[in-house]
Amino acid sequence: MALDRIDVKILELLQRDAHMTAQAIADAAGLSPSPCLRRIRILEEKGILKGYVALVDQKSVGLPISVFLSVRLERQREEELERFSAAINRWPEVVECYLMTGQRDYLLRVVVPDLESYEAFIKTRMSRLEGVASIESSFALSQVKYTNVLPIR
Amino acid sequence: MALDRIDVKILELLQRDAHMTAQAIADAAGLSPSPCLRRIRILEEKGILKGYVALVDQKSVGLPISVFLSVRLERQREEELERFSAAINRWPEVVECYLMTGQRDYLLRVVVPDLESYEAFIKTRMSRLEGVASIESSFALSQVKYTNVLPIR
DNA sequence: GGTGAAATTTTAGGTGC
DNA sequence: GCACCTAAAATTTCACC
């Protein structure tokens, strides 16, 4: 891969605002639009730039609640892990999921409009999954920080 | 706010791909480009569409490790919460932070290139913060799911 | 990596339904 | 409030240096 200063600068700018024009990015990165756009295409082809997305405000669309779930499975065989992964990837309420070290197997962030919906999520989704040993929920009172900008370098 | 079907559809499309042309969005949402773009502008003005960003692959840029920190403060006075919030918002390694109910006060996701950097983060950042009672770290082995797409409706 | 022109797209305005 | 059309402005794209 080998990213130089200019690549890092481009990634930083695009992570903050994907609607910047090639001209503006070029100016900020210290080169002209064409090579700038060429670098961006290369970063896209290499998969370093995964995509461009719009960010939606959770509260504004009636989804104020984030719940974190610690999940333990009964067995950690590949088959079990695969089944769990496939399931949560189908469920739109689950926006993040990590395979963890330590006490629990998975950490999930689930987004719901209210507690009733959360109950429904647990009852109709999680509890019907086979192989789940335990679930522990903690509720987020507020989002103190949320960014897609990675600390590159 | 009152989002209708078309608004929800537009938000869904833009959350997946912000580079869609107004024409393509209009086609998929079942209307013509002009009113489609008008709706998008309104969603932006209302703050429902918070912005457009590029997503960067964590591993590709040498940041394979996500660590989750459970943090408890000694006191939960507004002053303490403010100071903590201000600090973590300054630190680029912290990509997510939630104020939580229950045992801990905060849940953080920290992104680092290696364990050495994580140690440095704990030593030079977290441990120098006043008012922190305890920190508990768990490591993510892999990211099973990560999406910005919210389950609207 | 830079320059410049062509092609596509975005954006705004105006009319009728 | 939307569809449709038109036109101008801006941006991306791709030649070549």
Side-chain angles (χ1 to χ4, degrees):
Chain A
M1 27 210 99
L3 304 174
D4 63 14
R5 295 287 159 84
I6 296 177
D7 288 323
V8 171
K9 185 70 183 171
I10 290 172
L11 290 176
E12 202 179 300
L13 293 165
L14 283 176
Q15 280 186 107
R16 294 200 148 79
D17 180 10
H19 270 189
M20 283 182 80
T21 64
Q23 181 69 61
I25 299 168
D27 288 345
L31 76 174
S32 68
S34 285
C36 182
L37 214 50
R38 196 151 50 217
R39 278 167 180 266
I40 293 173
R41 296 289 165 263
I42 292 170
L43 291 168
E44 288 169 353
E45 282 163 20
K46 285 186 179 172
I48 296 174
L49 276 169
K50 284 194 292 187
Y52 303 91
V53 304
L55 297 182
V56 170
D57 185 62
Q58 269 190 236
K59 284 187 185 170
S60 303
V61 294
L63 295 167
I65 301 182
S66 279
V67 190
F68 287 87
L69 278 71
S70 287
V71 176
R72 279 198 307 118
L73 300 186
E74 286 162 4
R75 281 172 297 278
Q76 289 80 35
R77 288 182 308 190
E78 189 168 352
E79 187 198 332
E80 255 85 4
L81 300 176
E82 272 308 318
R83 187 174 347 133
F84 187 83
S85 170
I88 63 103
N89 270 290
R90 276 197 307 271
W91 299 337
E93 299 94 335
V94 179
V95 294
E96 295 184 65
C97 176
Y98 300 84
L99 184 61
M100 303 294 293
T101 60
Q103 314 298 348
R104 61 199 160 193
D105 291 312
Y106 290 104
L107 180 63
L108 277 68
R109 181 160 72 97
V110 172
V111 169
V112 286
D114 48 45
L115 291 180
E116 198 176 325
S117 304
Y118 181 66
E119 191 184 341
F121 172 79
I122 293 293
K123 283 187 179 167
T124 68
R125 311 270 215 202
M126 290 301 294
S127 71
R128 287 185 192 168
L129 248 188
E130 278 185 48
V132 173
S134 74
I135 303 171
E136 201 188 300
S137 311
S138 358
F139 291 80
L141 294 171
S142 67
Q143 202 167 49
V144 178
K145 183 174 187 178
Y146 181 79
T147 180
N148 59 297
V149 181
L150 300 173
I152 306 175
R153 288 265 132 158
Chain B
M1 30 211 92
L3 303 174
D4 63 13
R5 295 288 160 84
I6 297 177
D7 288 322
V8 172
K9 185 71 184 171
I10 290 172
L11 291 176
E12 203 180 298
L13 293 166
L14 283 176
Q15 280 186 109
R16 292 187 203 283
D17 181 10
H19 270 189
M20 284 183 79
T21 65
Q23 181 68 61
I25 298 169
D27 288 345
L31 78 175
S32 67
S34 288
C36 182
L37 214 49
R38 192 155 54 226
R39 279 168 180 266
I40 292 172
R41 295 288 164 265
I42 292 169
L43 292 168
E44 288 169 352
E45 282 163 20
K46 285 185 178 171
I48 296 174
L49 276 169
K50 285 194 291 186
Y52 303 90
V53 304
L55 297 182
V56 169
D57 185 61
Q58 269 190 235
K59 284 188 186 168
S60 303
V61 295
L63 295 166
I65 301 181
S66 279
V67 190
F68 286 88
L69 279 71
S70 286
V71 175
R72 279 197 308 117
L73 300 185
E74 286 162 4
R75 283 171 297 277
Q76 289 79 35
R77 289 181 308 189
E78 189 168 350
E79 187 199 331
E80 255 85 5
L81 300 177
E82 273 308 319
R83 187 174 348 131
F84 187 83
S85 171
I88 63 102
N89 270 289
R90 277 196 308 271
W91 299 336
E93 299 94 335
V94 180
V95 294
E96 295 184 66
C97 176
Y98 300 84
L99 184 62
M100 303 294 293
T101 60
Q103 315 297 350
R104 61 199 159 192
D105 292 313
Y106 290 104
L107 180 63
L108 278 67
R109 179 162 71 98
V110 172
V111 169
V112 286
D114 47 46
L115 291 181
E116 199 176 325
S117 304
Y118 181 66
E119 190 183 342
F121 172 79
I122 294 293
K123 283 186 179 168
T124 68
R125 312 271 214 201
M126 291 300 295
S127 70
R128 287 184 191 168
L129 248 188
E130 277 185 49
V132 174
S134 73
I135 302 171
E136 202 188 299
S137 311
S138 357
F139 291 81
L141 294 171
S142 67
Q143 202 167 49
V144 178
K145 183 175 187 177
Y146 181 79
T147 180
N148 59 295
V149 181
L150 300 173
I152 304 175
R153 288 270 132 154

